[in-house]
């Protein structure tokens, strides 16, 4: 098999909003670990992932109606490439598509819907995906980007080899769902604040209890070790005896020993 030349290497730009799983998706597709230029899970620079027959360009998440440096960098990469892997969150599919489709109109590509594991897959949701594909001739692949299986990986690569044109004008039929993560215990309206205070105080209480318990066990042992020395030094004049064996003496203030031996 002849070696691939740069002219045969397809370049695909990955476009999506923040925290849609773009970096995890491209890492799964190429078998490479996500690069380190991210902050709190968000890519902050454009990164290139070479793969078999195609190179993926991971871009920062687009902040809709924003002119941040990261959004500008993503849009610049979008202008440079004709093939797009558009990533939307299944939990916010309606608004993500409404915001991102105008940016990619006229380009060629596919749509990958991440966080599909958060959606209750049913005949209704499958029919919605099929209607979208029929209306646009676009390939739309729902996945869990963190656990991309072999079949999904092959489907994505095969689809991107034959991308479809994003329509100039398309108002997708709303799915009608928006799935937010379940609130944490700390966000509970009635006793969340009590749990937060408890989490702040419990480490301090446990630390003090452990220190006192440990001291109660070890202190008698240390006293037994120090007493012979105190007896040997008890005949010293008052000043050196006070320095060595007084309340704050060098001997009596030894590790874990705070008694008044020798006073």
């Amino acid at each position: 098999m002849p070696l691939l030349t740069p002219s045969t290497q397809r370049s695909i730009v990955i476009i999506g909003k923040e925290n849609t799983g773009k970096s995890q998706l491209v890492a799964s597709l190429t078998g490479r670990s996500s690069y380190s230029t991210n902050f709190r899970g968000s890519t902050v620079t454009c990164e290139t992932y070479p793969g078999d027959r195609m190179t993926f360009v991971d871009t920062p998440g687009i902040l809709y109606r924003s002119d941040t440096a990261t959004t500008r960098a993503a849009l610049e990469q979008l202008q440079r490439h004709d093939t797009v892997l558009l990533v939307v969150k299944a939990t916010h599919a309606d608004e993500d598509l409404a915001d991102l489709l105008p940016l990619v109109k006229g380009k060629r590509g596919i749509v990958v819907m991440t966080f599909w594991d958060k959606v209750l897959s049913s005949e209704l949701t499958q029919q919605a995906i099929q209607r979208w594909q029929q209306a646009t001739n676009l390939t739309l692949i729902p996945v869990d980007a963190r656990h991309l299986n072999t079949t999904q990986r092959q489907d994505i690569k095969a689809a991107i080899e034959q991308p479809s044109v994003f329509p100039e004008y398309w108002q997708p039929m709303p799915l009608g769902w928006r799935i937010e993560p379940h609130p944490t215990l700390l966000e509970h309206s009635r006793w969340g604040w009590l749990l937060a205070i408890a989490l702040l105080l419990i480490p301090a209480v446990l630390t003090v209890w452990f220190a006192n318990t440990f001291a109660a066990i070890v202190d008698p042992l240390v006293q037994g070790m120090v007493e012979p020395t105190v007896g040997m030094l008890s005949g010293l004049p008052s000043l050196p005896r006070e320095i060595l064996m007084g309340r704050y003496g060098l001997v009596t203030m030894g590790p874990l020993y705070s008694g008044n031996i020798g006073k």
Side-chain angles (χ1 to χ4, degrees):
M1 181 181 294
L3 294 176
L4 292 173
T5 63
S7 61
T8 62
Q9 189 83 356
R10 184 185 297 271
S11 184
I12 299 101
V13 63
I14 301 180
I15 295 295
K17 292 184 178 181
E18 279 193 315
N19 300 318
T20 56
K22 300 189 305 300
S23 297
Q24 181 60 61
L25 177 64
V26 69
S28 298
L29 288 173
T30 60
R32 298 172 180 267
S33 299
S34 300
Y35 296 143
S36 59
T37 51
N38 61 76
F39 177 71
R40 294 181 181 176
S42 298
T43 301
V44 296
T45 63
C46 297
E47 301 286 3
T48 301
Y49 292 76
D52 183 22
R53 297 183 61 85
M54 57 187 67
T55 297
F56 294 92
V57 180
D58 186 22
T59 62
I62 291 178
L63 298 173
Y64 192 61
R65 296 188 180 90
S66 174
D67 191 35
T68 63
T70 54
T71 296
R72 290 197 301 271
L75 295 178
E76 288 173 2
Q77 288 295 326
L78 180 60
Q79 294 301 317
R80 295 176 186 174
H81 296 81
D82 294 324
T83 307
V84 180
L85 196 163
L86 186 65
V87 181
V88 299
K89 293 178 71 171
T91 53
H92 300 72
D94 287 344
E95 61 189 76
D96 279 9
L97 284 171
D99 292 340
L100 296 175
L101 283 174
L103 300 179
V104 299
K105 62 182 180 181
K107 300 282 186 178
R108 297 171 64 84
I110 66 172
V111 180
V112 173
M113 186 177 290
T114 56
F115 289 86
W116 189 249
D117 55 304
K118 305 298 182 184
V119 176
L120 181 60
S121 183
S122 64
E123 183 178 351
L124 179 62
T125 58
Q126 294 296 337
Q127 289 177 352
I129 299 300
Q130 292 173 3
R131 285 197 296 267
W132 277 2
Q133 293 186 123
Q134 293 170 357
T136 63
N137 200 35
L138 288 170
T139 299
L140 197 155
I141 304 175
V143 301
D144 174 6
R146 295 169 300 177
H147 303 97
L148 203 66
N149 60 45
T150 302
T151 301
Q152 292 171 333
R153 189 181 298 109
Q154 293 174 346
D155 288 346
I156 292 173
K157 289 184 176 181
I160 206 68
E161 288 278 2
Q162 298 180 332
S164 301
V165 178
F166 288 98
E168 291 283 340
Y169 303 100
W170 177 47
Q171 183 63 43
M173 179 186 301
L175 293 177
W177 69 58
R178 179 187 173 96
I179 303 172
E180 298 291 350
H182 294 294
T184 65
L185 294 176
L186 291 174
E187 296 172 321
H188 194 279
S189 59
R190 293 184 178 179
W191 43 266
W193 63 277
L194 287 174
L195 179 59
I197 293 175
L199 290 176
L200 289 173
L201 294 179
I202 287 174
V205 172
L206 290 178
T207 299
V208 173
W209 174 83
F210 178 79
N212 289 336
T213 302
F214 182 75
I217 296 172
V218 176
D219 187 64
L221 300 176
V222 176
Q223 289 188 33
M225 295 171 59
V226 173
E227 283 179 355
T229 303
V230 172
M232 293 174 56
L233 301 176
S234 60
L236 292 174
S238 59
L239 180 58
R241 186 174 67 250
E242 188 66 25
I243 293 174
L244 294 174
M245 297 179 298
R247 178 183 292 272
Y248 303 105
L250 297 177
V251 175
T252 54
M253 285 295 290
L256 300 177
Y257 190 77
S258 59
N260 296 323
I261 300 175
K263 184 175 178 181

